[in-house]
Amino acid sequence: MERRRRDFERQGFQVAALSFDTVKTLRHFSERVGIHYPLLADPESKVIRAFGLLNETVPADHPFHGIPNPGAYLIDEKGVVQQKFFEEQYSDRFTAGHMLVRALGRDADGSRVEQETDHLYLTTSSSDQMVRPGNRVALVAEVDLKPEMHVYAPGVEGGYIPVEWEIEAVKGLVNCSALYPEAETLYLPAIDETVPVYQGSFRIVADLTLGMQEDLEPLLNSDGDLVVNGSFRYQACDDKMCYLPSTVPLAWRFKVEPLDRTRVPEDLRRGKRAR
């Protein structure tokens, strides 16, 4: 979140975080890693319980009882929640970049690749360049069709071939269905049919959740990068003819950094007292 703090501020949002840690623990963490936004201490989990965020899977006699389910709210200037991002698994986390792309419509600037075919320009990117195990990121495909071209949208019938964006299924990565924009309808007078199509420019977004470190290690290449492969299939047509279907290979490249497992000094840990 610190890496993207200024991006949120440019969108009119101020960043703050809440945890069940004490003020001293949060101060130590903030100074160690360089946090420049407010960290709010809720050591008795009063706010956490009031928001219904208590992680009920942690036993009451466990030192970590009181932790919240990980997530984030986007709240407007009137205090109204505009969007929320929560995962079921405590180890899974939406990245700040994901929230910027999905909720605020910012451009995805990670792993950017531009390609051109006879019918269109295709730019792929990701919400984040640097990732950690358990991160949920957004993959983006932006399509700019050449003049007079159209492609068919998902759901088209009658033997037409719709656009299809696929991400290679790999153990250690969880793919979510791509979110396609609303199509427009186009009347084809030559065959007297109306079909859903895309013309001009459109954008597709899909989520990808990374596994834990042991899941990702076998997937890293010799440079230590994680490469996610996919494909974009389409059939383009103009006013006179339909062209042969085309498939464009895709790849997103990520740098993977380990989770920060550094603990606070022993005298700041729960159940410990300073001497």
Side-chain angles (χ1 to χ4, degrees), residues 94-232:
F94 286 93
T95 66
H98 178 284
M99 289 182 270
L100 287 163
V101 169
R102 277 288 202 180
L104 302 179
R106 273 188 61 95
D107 291 338
D109 49 14
S111 193
R112 190 175 183 87
V113 176
E114 298 179 358
Q115 300 186 71
E116 180 183 1
T117 72
D118 291 338
H119 321 103
L120 53 81
Y121 301 94
L122 177 62
T123 302
T124 53
S125 55
S126 62
S127 59
D128 301 85
Q129 186 71 57
M130 185 75 71
V131 295
R132 288 180 172 180
N135 278 178
R136 181 164 176 162
V137 300
L139 306 181
V140 179
E142 296 174 279
V143 181
D144 293 301
L145 289 159
K146 293 185 176 180
E148 300 181 355
M149 292 287 179
H150 66 263
V151 293
Y152 297 102
V156 68
E157 299 177 351
Y160 298 103
I161 298 175
V163 295
E164 184 178 17
W165 177 21
E166 290 189 346
I167 302 169
E168 181 181 355
V170 177
K171 183 180 178 181
L173 303 175
V174 178
N175 305 333
C176 297
S177 298
L179 178 64
Y180 292 87
E182 184 176 353
E184 59 180 294
T185 56
L186 178 67
Y187 176 64
L188 304 176
I191 55 177
D192 192 27
E193 289 187 10
T194 300
V195 292
V197 301
Y198 296 124
Q199 301 183 95
S201 301
F202 63 97
R203 171 167 135 155
I204 312 169
V205 183
D207 285 2
L208 179 74
T209 300
L210 281 60
M212 292 295 96
Q213 186 69 39
E214 59 271 19
D215 302 317
L216 297 180
E217 285 179 354
L219 304 179
L220 303 183
N221 63 17
S222 58
D223 295 325
D225 295 342
L226 172 66
V227 179
V228 178
N229 295 303
S231 63
F232 180 75

Side-chain angles (χ1 to χ4, degrees), residues 14-109:
Q14 297 298 314
V15 177
L18 173 77
S19 85
F20 90 137
D21 295 297
T22 65
V23 171
K24 290 183 178 180
T25 297
L26 292 179
R27 180 180 294 115
H28 180 274
F29 172 74
S30 177
E31 292 174 351
R32 178 174 68 83
V33 302
I35 301 296
H36 296 92
Y37 56 84
L39 299 180
L40 309 177
D42 185 23
E44 297 181 7
S45 301
K46 292 181 179 179
V47 176
I48 291 169
R49 294 176 191 275
F51 274 75
L53 302 180
L54 183 68
N55 189 332
E56 301 285 358
T57 65
V58 181
D61 59 350
H62 194 281
F64 293 162
H65 181 72
I67 64 172
N69 290 308
Y73 292 106
L74 285 178
I75 304 173
D76 67 15
E77 66 276 8
K78 297 180 180 178
V80 178
V81 174
Q82 297 296 309
Q83 298 247 15
K84 57 183 179 180
F85 299 84
F86 284 86
E87 290 279 17
E88 294 183 1
Q89 296 290 332
Y90 77 92
S91 57
D92 296 341
R93 307 293 173 96
F94 286 93
T95 66
H98 178 284
M99 289 182 270
L100 287 163
V101 169
R102 277 288 202 180
L104 302 179
R106 273 188 61 95
D107 291 338
D109 49 14

